[in-house]
Amino acid sequence: MVKISNRLMTAAALVTQGYTLADVGTDHGYIPIYLLQQKKIPSAIAMDINEGPLERAKEHIALYGLQAYIQTRLSDGVAALKPGEVEAVLIAGMGGGLIMHILKDGEKVCQSAKELILQPQSEIERVREFLREEGYTILAEDMVYEDGKFYPMMKVQYQGKNAQKASEVLKLSDLYGGLLLQNRHPVLKTFLEKEKLIYTGIKENLEKQPASEKIRTRLAEVQDTLHYNELALQFYV
């Protein structure tokens, strides 16, 4: 049985039982192997932009005797995937900017999937904002803390664009994850408490500095972050 990190296991748990899967940026191919071994998916396509990781994935797939169930494809994002070819697309372990690029470039493929499992490593707020603006609905969210880093992740589905007016509720959802807040996710609470501590320290340090336009601008940014942090922590009261 293949062993995977808690981060990858949590992302794999968001895949719907019985769905065919494309794992974008598969690296070692561990998630498709794990899901096949768990009998959660019937088949998968492991994809990567680089030959090296794809060769390692092939070796691992063969090691576990799953060649009949997992294909491998050299692919830049979802370029080697046809619309409707799989039901679930998993994109984990990449920066938020790259994930948004993949979704935009592979729009037809991503919109045709029944679900996308995303685990952006950066620009989390921007990714959530992008998803909302592009017509994706967040169906589920989870978050883990592993090796000193927080990993939020989400299951989304394209449902068409629906203009929404800017509001504090939308801002909170983009910043922290609306479902994570609603469900009072314990890992998010830890993140919020750490964020409050860090930004309170920054604020106190800035207030000690000689006044300048740069300091005032930065102080306003920090106070804005603390404002939304406080609103988010209210969910846990």
Side-chain angles (χ1 to χ4, degrees):
M1 187 72 70
V2 71
K3 290 184 179 180
I4 62 175
S5 67
N6 186 38
R7 172 179 68 87
L8 294 182
M9 195 180 298
T10 306
L14 289 172
V15 177
T16 297
Q17 179 81 34
Y19 276 12
T20 52
L21 174 74
D23 181 24
V24 180
T26 194
D27 196 18
H28 292 75
Y30 288 149
I31 288 183
I33 292 168
Y34 171 80
L35 287 170
L36 257 299
Q37 290 179 333
Q38 296 292 316
K39 302 190 187 309
K40 191 170 185 181
I41 61 171
S43 63
I45 303 170
M47 308 166 71
D48 207 283
I49 192 171
N50 296 310
E51 287 275 11
L54 210 58
E55 284 303 316
R56 288 196 295 272
K58 287 178 183 177
E59 290 171 7
H60 292 135
I61 291 163
L63 179 65
Y64 292 100
L66 295 171
Q67 303 96 312
Y69 304 96
I70 306 175
Q71 298 179 42
T72 57
R73 291 184 192 172
L74 194 65
S75 180
D76 183 356
V78 295
L81 202 61
K82 297 174 185 174
E85 191 174 4
V86 296
E87 293 159 298
V89 175
L90 188 145
I91 312 175
M94 299 181 198
L98 181 53
I99 287 179
M100 289 184 282
H101 174 74
I102 289 171
L103 295 182
K104 200 66 178 173
D105 273 12
E107 193 172 78
K108 289 183 179 178
V109 170
C110 294
Q111 289 180 0
S112 71
K114 290 183 178 178
E115 65 186 25
L116 305 173
I117 312 300
L118 309 175
Q119 192 184 79
Q121 307 269 51
S122 61
E123 299 181 74
I124 313 300
E125 179 188 0
R126 182 69 192 102
V127 170
R128 290 195 184 103
E129 185 182 357
F130 170 87
L131 291 169
R132 178 165 48 77
E133 290 174 350
E134 293 298 314
Y136 289 93
T137 296
I138 296 177
L139 305 176
E141 291 187 280
D142 209 337
M143 189 174 189
V144 298
Y145 182 70
E146 185 173 87
D147 298 330
K149 187 175 168 78
F150 291 94
Y151 294 96
M153 59 202 79
M154 59 210 76
K155 177 194 293 192
V156 308
Q157 182 185 68
Y158 180 75
Q159 295 184 353
K161 296 184 180 182
N162 181 20
Q164 294 175 290
K165 292 182 179 179
S167 67
E168 282 200 329
V169 173
L170 278 183
K171 177 72 172 176
L172 267 182
S173 292
D174 289 344
L175 277 169
Y176 304 117
L179 295 177
L180 293 176
L181 287 168
Q182 287 175 32
N183 295 326
R184 297 178 177 85
H185 198 290
V187 178
L188 177 60
K189 184 183 180 186
T190 301
F191 172 84
L192 290 167
E193 289 170 343
K194 286 188 178 230
E195 182 182 64
K196 181 176 181 178
L197 196 63
I198 290 167
Y199 278 87
T200 298
I202 293 171
K203 177 175 176 286
E204 290 171 353
N205 185 54
L206 286 169
E207 288 172 339
K208 295 174 185 175
Q209 305 300 316
S212 70
E213 189 59 35
K214 184 178 178 181
I215 292 294
R216 281 192 290 271
T217 299
R218 180 60 179 144
L219 189 56
E221 292 171 351
V222 170
Q223 288 171 329
D224 190 55
T225 297
L226 285 169
H227 168 69
Y228 283 105
N229 174 277
E230 184 58 36
L231 288 178
L233 280 168
Q234 289 299 313
F235 281 82
Y236 295 90
V237 174

